[in-house]
């Protein structure tokens, strides 16, 4: 009788400890993303700058886990699959704002045009690009004005799953120019051997297409709204510009100069 009572009390204590541990453990915030170096990537330090910001802003209530997919797949899963809180890093668009809860900005992206140096690119307005074949990443927004002209058929685009393929198309002269983030282009031209050997042939145009804030797009559910609000409160206390500068300065120091 006594032994049974002791066993029962021990089991109760173990269950209570397990319940307490489970209650103290952070909840998981699973986010869908793409390999978009140097902003986010499984092999990057702290999973990239955007991955680091997301992980820090999600604390103390959540632990971030990032799953990687092609971008269009990441968007689909992040918006519709119940196991995900959302997807990132996303540019703001009015269409997306109707479909998800946008976080406050977690950084920004300078989007511009890459071109071959022996075929100089001169443009002042988007209309100047109308005669060109422009490589873009499928599913990416490239600013409201650019996206509108694409929808209206006034710009001819060639979509690929990622930026690396687009730069290879440019080198092979299959497209005239590539829409790409400035830091993404720099990183790829330094880190990918097949591109690094050709880096002297490609330039990033001094006139940007857009300066676009980056966000986490939380699912448009009560749980998603709760996560977004907690996430935004954490972001308010983060000196993002200073931390971003330090992160990319460290990245620059590790890389040889891009001529």
């Amino acid at each position: 009788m006594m032994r049974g009572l002791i066993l029962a009390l021990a089991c109760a204590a173990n269950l209570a400890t397990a319940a307490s541990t489970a209650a103290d453990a952070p909840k998981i915030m699973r986010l869908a993303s793409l390999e978009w170096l140097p902003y986010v990537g499984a092999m990057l330090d702290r999973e990239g700058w955007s991955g680091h910001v997301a992980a820090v802003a999600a604390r103390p209530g959540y632990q971030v886990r990032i799953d990687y997919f092609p971008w269009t797949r990441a968007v689909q899963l992040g918006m519709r699959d119940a196991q995900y809180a959302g997807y990132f890093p996303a540019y703001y668009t009015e269409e997306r704002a109707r479909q998800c809860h946008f976080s406050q900005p977690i950084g920004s992206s300078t989007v511009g045009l890459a071109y071959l140096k022996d075929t100089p690119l001169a443009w002042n307005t988007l209309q100047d690009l109308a005669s060109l074949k422009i490589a873009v990443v499928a599913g990416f927004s490239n600013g409201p004005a650019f996206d509108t002209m694409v929808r209206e058929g006034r710009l001819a685009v060639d979509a690929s799953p990622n930026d690396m393929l687009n730069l290879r198309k440019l080198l092979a002269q299959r497209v005239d120019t590539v829409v790409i983030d400035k830091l993404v282009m720099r990183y790829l031209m330094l880190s990918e051997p097949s591109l690094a050997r050709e880096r002297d042939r490609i330039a990033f145009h001094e006139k940007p297409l857009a300066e676009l804030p980056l966000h986490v797009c939380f699912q448009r559910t009560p749980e998603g709204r709760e996560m977004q609000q907690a996430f935004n409160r954490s972001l308010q206390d983060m000196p993002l510009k200073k931390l971003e500068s330090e992160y990319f300065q460290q990245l620059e120091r590790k890389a040889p100069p891009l001529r």
Side-chain angles (χ1 to χ4, degrees):
M1 181 74 174
M2 180 60 70
R3 184 179 178 185
L5 178 60
I6 292 173
L7 287 172
L9 290 173
C11 288
N14 288 336
L15 288 171
T17 300
S20 176
T21 301
D24 294 339
K27 294 178 284 186
I28 300 300
M29 180 187 291
R30 179 171 274 116
L31 296 172
S33 187
L34 78 166
E35 293 274 354
W36 194 44
L37 313 179
Y39 290 99
V40 60
M43 302 304 294
L44 291 174
D45 179 35
R46 292 167 284 178
E47 295 198 69
W49 166 244
S50 298
H52 173 58
V53 173
V56 173
R59 297 180 188 134
Y62 295 91
Q63 178 181 343
V64 168
R65 290 185 184 171
I66 304 171
D67 293 337
Y68 295 93
F69 307 93
W71 180 242
T72 52
R73 181 65 173 157
V75 172
Q76 291 170 354
L77 290 171
M79 290 182 61
R80 299 170 187 167
D81 192 315
Q83 69 176 317
Y84 290 99
Y87 66 93
F88 87 115
Y91 299 142
Y92 178 91
T93 69
E94 292 183 0
E95 179 182 1
R96 287 175 181 168
R98 292 191 292 268
Q99 298 170 343
C100 68
H101 294 301
F102 271 103
S103 73
Q104 293 297 314
I106 60 171
S108 62
S109 164
T110 301
V111 179
L113 297 168
Y115 63 96
L116 295 177
K117 292 180 180 178
D118 60 6
T119 311
L121 176 65
W123 74 284
N124 290 306
T125 69
L126 290 175
Q127 189 59 45
D128 296 332
L129 306 175
S131 62
L132 304 181
K133 188 175 183 181
I134 307 167
V136 299
V137 175
F140 272 28
S141 170
N142 294 304
F146 186 93
D147 293 348
T148 296
M149 290 187 68
V150 171
R151 282 195 303 271
E152 293 174 352
R154 293 189 286 151
L155 290 177
V157 297
D158 184 308
S160 293
N162 57 60
D163 294 293
M164 190 187 312
L165 287 175
N166 283 339
L167 290 174
R168 287 174 177 163
K169 286 181 183 179
L170 180 64
L171 288 166
Q173 298 183 316
R174 292 167 52 196
V175 296
D176 299 304
T177 186
V178 172
V179 177
I180 192 169
D181 171 273
K182 185 176 184 179
L183 286 172
V184 170
M185 174 178 156
R186 177 177 175 82
Y187 185 87
L188 290 175
M189 298 302 290
L190 292 172
S191 62
E192 293 296 328
S194 63
L195 296 177
R197 289 191 293 268
E198 304 282 358
R199 63 183 182 179
D200 288 334
R201 294 179 58 199
I202 299 180
F204 187 86
H205 201 281
E206 62 183 11
K207 179 180 175 64
L209 277 175
E211 295 281 349
L212 301 174
L214 299 170
H215 307 263
V216 176
C217 196
F218 290 98
Q219 288 192 6
R220 203 167 187 82
T221 63
E223 295 81 7
R225 179 66 170 169
E226 179 182 337
M227 289 184 188
Q228 177 226 34
Q229 291 175 339
F231 193 88
N232 285 347
R233 286 194 295 270
S234 294
L235 280 176
Q236 291 176 0
D237 299 324
M238 292 179 64
L240 280 179
K241 286 293 184 184
K242 178 175 180 292
L243 295 175
E244 181 181 45
S245 176
E246 291 172 353
Y247 185 92
F248 285 110
Q249 282 177 10
Q250 182 182 25
L251 187 69
E252 294 284 326
R253 285 196 295 270
K254 293 180 180 178
L258 178 62
R259 298 187 298 274

